[in-house]
């Protein structure tokens, strides 16, 4: 009996959100198990159809046709990923087949038909495997109600009538009812334990994944800090073209962008300072040239005046 993980929502924490990859894997597993059960039931339905054709029993033909029709609907809903509807249809195929087998006996309910009551536990196994675990008690209650009602209301053969009036009535009535209760309780406990174990395993896997991500994030943070420290050191040593290179997934990405912006502005400020220094040098050179030009002009003017005065003071020949 296959147990599908986390189909019973009460077995897991409501605050736990599953990753898409896990959900897809669970859906694929659920579909595979449901398809396997469908295939087995289809085989039995085909066998019933062949037997009905050989026996030329109209009732058996109708029963087999109904079973195949319901299986076809279950296949359709399974392909549409409507797993709960398909599971309910499978349960109805089993219960309906057993019920029609008992209710359509021409001579009434016979001792040979009593083992069919035990076959009803198949519907419980399907319910506990494909539906929430608590649904097995609903199916068991329906099966027990059918067993009791069939024994009380359906006509009996003389052999069964004698058996019910004997001391073996306990085994006849109580045994199939008790079997339904025991199977329901045991499978519920087993499936609940399995689901809890799977939930703990999933939780442990999630914790391990979180720890791995935290470790990677810590390593990435250390690498980012080391890289930014190297950028600052090289920038302080005169490498003006140095800049931070961090991926956007890094937690220090914003800080790296801010540092790059600061380095760009620093380079522009240094370029402006160099340009100002060059301009100040040009201004000093121009001032010196202007000063030399003025001094030269003043010297020329003084020499001209001295020459003119000398010429005035010197008498002509």
């Amino acid at each position: 009996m296959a147990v599908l993980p986390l189909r019973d929502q009460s077995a897991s924490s409501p605050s736990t959100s599953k990753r898409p990859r896990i959900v897809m894997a669970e859906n694929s597993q659920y579909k595979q198990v449901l398809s396997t059960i469908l295939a087995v039931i289809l085989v039995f339905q085909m066998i019933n159809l062949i037997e009905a054709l050989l026996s030329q029993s109209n009732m058996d033909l109708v029963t087999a046709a109904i079973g195949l029709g319901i299986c076809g609907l279950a296949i359709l809903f399974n392909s549409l990923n409507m797993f709960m509807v398909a599971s309910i249809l499978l349960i109805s195929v089993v219960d309906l087949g057993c019920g029609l087998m008992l209710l359509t006996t021409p001579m009434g309910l016979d001792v040979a038909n009593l083992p069919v009551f035990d076959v009803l536990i198949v519907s419980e196994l399907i319910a506990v495997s494909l539906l929430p675990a608590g649904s097995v008690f609903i199916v068991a209650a329906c099966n027990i109600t059918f067993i009791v009602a069939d024994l009380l209301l359906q006509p009996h053969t003389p052999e069964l009538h004698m058996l019910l009036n004997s001391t073996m009535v306990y085994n006849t009535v109580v045994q199939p009812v008790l079997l339904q209760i025991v199977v329901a309780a045991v499978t519920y406990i087993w499936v609940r334990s399995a689901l809890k174990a799977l939930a703990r395993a999933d939780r442990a896997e999630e914790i391990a994944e979180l720890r791995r991500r935290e470790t990677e994030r810590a390593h990435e943070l250390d690498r980012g800090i080391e890289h930014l420290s190297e950028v600052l050191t090289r920038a302080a040593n005169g490498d003006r073209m140095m800049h931070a290179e961090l991926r956007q997934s890094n937690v220090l990405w914003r800080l790296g962008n801010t540092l790059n912006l600061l380095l760009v502005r620093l380079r522009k400020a240094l370029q402006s300072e160099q340009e100002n220094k060059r301009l100040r040098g040009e201004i000093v050179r121009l001032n010196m040239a202007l000063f030399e030009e003025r001094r030269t002009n003043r010297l020329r003017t003084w020499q001209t005046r001295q020459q003119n005065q000398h010429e005035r003071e010197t008498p002509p020949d």
Side-chain angles (χ1 to χ4, degrees):
M1 180 178 61
V3 179
L4 298 179
L6 301 182
R7 282 293 166 185
D8 186 7
Q9 299 298 330
S10 62
S12 61
S13 173
S15 62
T16 302
S17 58
K18 295 184 286 188
R19 297 184 295 274
R21 179 178 60 84
I22 297 178
V23 174
M24 292 179 60
E26 290 179 1
N27 289 338
S28 176
Q29 181 184 6
Y30 196 83
K31 192 171 185 177
Q32 182 179 0
V33 172
L34 191 55
S35 300
T36 303
I37 298 176
L38 263 170
V40 174
I41 294 179
L42 275 174
V43 171
F44 280 103
Q45 292 298 324
M46 293 300 298
I47 294 174
N48 292 335
L49 180 62
I50 295 173
E51 291 179 353
L53 290 174
L54 294 176
S55 62
Q56 297 182 353
S57 172
N58 294 331
M59 183 58 65
D60 291 343
L61 282 174
V62 171
T63 302
I66 293 175
L68 289 175
I70 297 176
C71 288
L73 289 176
I75 293 174
L76 175 62
F77 284 113
N78 186 35
S79 64
L80 297 175
N81 293 335
M82 300 176 66
F83 304 126
M84 181 169 291
V85 177
S87 303
I88 294 174
L89 288 175
L90 286 182
I91 295 172
S92 65
V93 167
V94 176
D95 286 348
L96 184 62
C98 294
L100 291 177
M101 185 184 300
L102 294 171
L103 295 175
T104 57
T105 52
M107 302 300 295
L109 192 62
D110 190 26
V111 176
N113 301 130
L114 295 181
V116 179
F117 291 142
D118 298 337
V119 181
L120 292 174
I121 64 172
V122 175
S123 61
E124 294 186 11
L125 299 179
I126 296 176
V128 80
S129 299
L130 301 179
L131 297 175
S135 62
V136 68
F137 294 110
I138 299 176
V139 177
C142 294
N143 291 343
I144 292 172
T145 302
F146 172 76
I147 292 171
V148 174
D150 191 37
L151 289 173
L152 293 177
L153 302 178
Q154 187 175 357
H156 304 153
T157 61
E159 291 80 5
L160 180 60
H161 185 73
M162 291 177 58
L163 180 64
L164 293 177
N165 291 328
S166 66
T167 57
M168 298 182 63
V169 65
Y170 174 82
N171 294 331
T172 304
V173 179
V174 176
Q175 182 177 350
V177 172
L178 187 61
L179 180 63
Q180 297 289 326
I181 296 174
V182 171
V183 171
V186 171
T187 54
Y188 175 80
I189 294 173
W190 185 81
V191 170
R192 288 285 294 181
S193 300
L195 289 175
K196 289 181 179 180
L198 290 173
R200 287 194 297 267
D202 289 341
R203 183 60 179 168
E205 182 181 354
E206 291 179 0
I207 293 175
E209 181 69 15
L210 289 175
R211 289 179 178 175
R212 185 185 64 81
R213 290 182 180 180
E214 290 296 330
T215 303
E216 291 181 354
R217 188 174 300 176
H219 290 166
E220 188 177 12
L221 180 62
D222 292 339
R223 290 192 296 269
I225 293 174
E226 184 178 354
H227 177 68
L228 293 180
S229 177
E230 181 182 359
V231 170
L232 289 173
T233 301
R234 294 181 62 177
N237 291 333
D239 188 354
R240 305 306 179 191
M241 301 305 297
M242 191 63 185
H243 64 280
E245 297 179 355
L246 294 176
R247 294 180 299 177
Q248 191 170 358
S249 59
N250 196 299
V251 293
L252 298 177
W253 178 72
R254 292 182 179 273
L255 181 59
N257 284 345
T258 304
L259 179 59
N260 288 336
L261 180 61
L262 177 62
L263 292 176
V264 169
R265 292 182 177 179
L266 180 60
R267 284 196 295 268
K268 290 182 178 180
L270 292 175
Q271 291 175 358
S272 299
E273 184 180 355
Q274 291 176 356
E275 185 66 21
N276 291 335
K277 186 182 294 185
R278 187 184 65 81
L279 291 176
R280 286 196 297 267
E282 290 293 330
I283 293 172
V284 170
R285 188 180 62 79
L286 290 175
N287 287 334
M288 291 181 63
L290 183 60
F291 176 77
E292 288 293 331
E293 182 68 21
R294 288 178 179 177
R295 190 173 66 83
T296 302
N297 290 336
R298 285 197 300 268
L299 182 58
R300 289 176 181 175
T301 301
W302 181 79
Q303 289 177 351
T304 303
R305 289 179 180 176
Q306 290 295 327
Q307 185 178 0
N308 291 336
Q309 184 178 2
H310 179 70
E311 289 177 354
R312 285 196 301 267
E313 291 178 353
T314 303
D317 293 337

